């Protein structure tokens, strides 16, 4: 739309009712190269539920992604302690397997107790099953991740924050539906994450209550 001559980006603001509504706006701005800042909240891709689900997707697509594994191995809780996770990763590095393959073969890890191996093996089996869907729709895969891993029940726990979490996931699913494959969707999300928001000239985004 037409903007008054001489107007600067910092002279503009977009107001919305719910935090989740910033998602589509941020996506558009990232694609258009328009810098922005969010007042009183986190950027869409910095919200915990969005980061969790993207970490699941990244690990399925890139099964050696250590950072994604560390984020989701106990999200939701699986009863695996930090020491056991560290031992598993050391053993897995030595075995030169990707992480999902390592989880499936965790019974071979002689540095881990049987108690630690059980949840890791179960997690690996779930990831392996989900990995068979990697060539399908990213939105459908996200929905399957939520149900298979127990993540949906974990975040939709009846607390006052649950509604906002589900709203953010709804926006993520809407965005994912625009893509036919996981690779392109993850590339777009990575591009959005790297968008520079430190410039002085920015559009302001904030909720209005």
């Amino acid at each position: 739309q037409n903007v008054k001559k001489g107007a600067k980006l910092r002279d503009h603001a977009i107001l919305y009712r719910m935090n989740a509504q910033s998602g589509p706006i941020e996506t558009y701005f990232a694609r258009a190269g328009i810098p922005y800042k969010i007042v009183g909240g986190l950027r869409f891709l910095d919200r915990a539920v969005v980061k969790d689900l993207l970490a699941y997707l990244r690990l399925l697509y890139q099964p050696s992604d250590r950072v994604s594994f560390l984020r989701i191995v106990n999200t939701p809780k699986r009863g695996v302690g930090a020491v056991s996770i560290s031992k598993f990763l050391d053993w897995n590095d030595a075995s030169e397997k990707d992480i999902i393959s390592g989880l499936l073969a965790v019974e071979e890890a002689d540095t881990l107790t049987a108690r630690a191996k059980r949840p890791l093996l179960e997690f690996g089996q779930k990831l392996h099953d989900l990995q068979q869907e990697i060539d399908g729709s990213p939105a459908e895969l996200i929905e399957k991740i939520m149900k298979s891993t127990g993540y949906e029940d974990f975040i939709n726990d009846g607390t006052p924050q649950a509604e906002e979490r589900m709203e953010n996931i709804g926006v993520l699913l809407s965005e994912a539906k625009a893509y036919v494959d996981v690779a392109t969707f993850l590339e777009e999300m990575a591009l959005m994450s790297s968008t520079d928001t430190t410039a002085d000239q920015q559009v302001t985004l904030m909720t209005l209550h």
Side-chain angles (χ1 to χ4, degrees):
Q1 295 194 3
N2 292 332
V3 178
K4 182 178 179 182
K5 187 176 181 180
K8 303 180 184 300
L9 289 176
R10 66 187 180 193
D11 297 327
H12 298 81
I14 297 179
L15 309 177
Y16 39 87
R17 187 175 66 85
M18 300 180 298
N19 284 324
Q21 291 174 313
S22 75
I25 301 169
E26 292 183 60
T27 300
Y28 176 82
F29 278 8
R31 289 173 180 162
I34 300 173
Y36 64 92
K37 63 179 178 181
I38 293 183
V39 176
L42 294 172
R43 291 199 306 168
F44 181 71
L45 291 182
D46 290 334
R47 293 165 194 169
V49 292
V50 177
K51 293 175 74 171
D52 290 344
L53 290 171
L54 289 179
Y56 270 104
L57 271 187
R58 278 194 298 271
L59 184 59
L60 294 175
Y61 183 68
Q62 298 176 320
S64 294
D65 188 331
R66 193 184 186 102
V67 173
S68 293
F69 170 74
L70 288 171
R71 182 172 185 90
I72 63 175
V73 61
N74 266 325
T75 308
K77 294 290 184 184
R78 296 186 174 87
V80 186
V83 173
S84 294
I85 293 171
S86 179
K87 287 181 177 180
F88 164 73
L89 288 172
D90 288 344
W91 168 81
N92 196 63
D93 289 345
S95 70
E96 298 184 344
K97 293 180 173 65
D98 67 62
I99 290 173
I100 295 178
S101 296
L103 290 168
L104 293 173
V106 73
E107 293 287 2
E108 302 170 10
D110 54 10
T111 58
L112 289 169
T113 65
R115 182 178 180 181
K117 290 176 183 178
R118 190 176 306 111
L120 288 172
L121 177 59
E122 290 175 356
F123 185 43
Q125 290 169 337
K126 288 178 181 178
L127 293 175
H128 175 72
D129 291 344
L130 288 165
Q131 202 174 32
Q132 309 314 302
E133 310 289 334
I134 198 67
D135 292 329
S137 157
E140 291 178 4
L141 183 52
I142 290 171
E143 291 177 332
K144 290 175 181 176
I145 288 168
M146 290 177 62
K147 295 186 186 313
S148 173
T149 64
Y151 189 80
E152 184 170 11
D153 292 336
F154 167 67
I155 57 103
N156 196 13
D157 58 2
T159 62
Q161 294 77 27
E163 182 178 356
E164 183 174 351
R165 295 181 195 132
M166 293 303 294
E167 287 167 352
N168 280 308
I169 289 173
V171 172
L172 181 66
L173 287 170
S174 295
E175 292 292 328
K177 287 175 182 176
Y179 299 86
V180 296
D181 62 82
V182 171
T184 307
F185 177 62
L186 288 175
E187 287 172 7
E188 185 76 8
M189 295 300 101
L191 177 64
M192 283 184 61
S193 294
S194 64
T195 300
D196 183 10
T197 61
T198 62
D200 179 57
Q201 292 295 323
Q202 300 168 319
V203 176
T204 297
L205 308 181
M206 65 182 297
T207 53
L208 179 65
H209 300 286

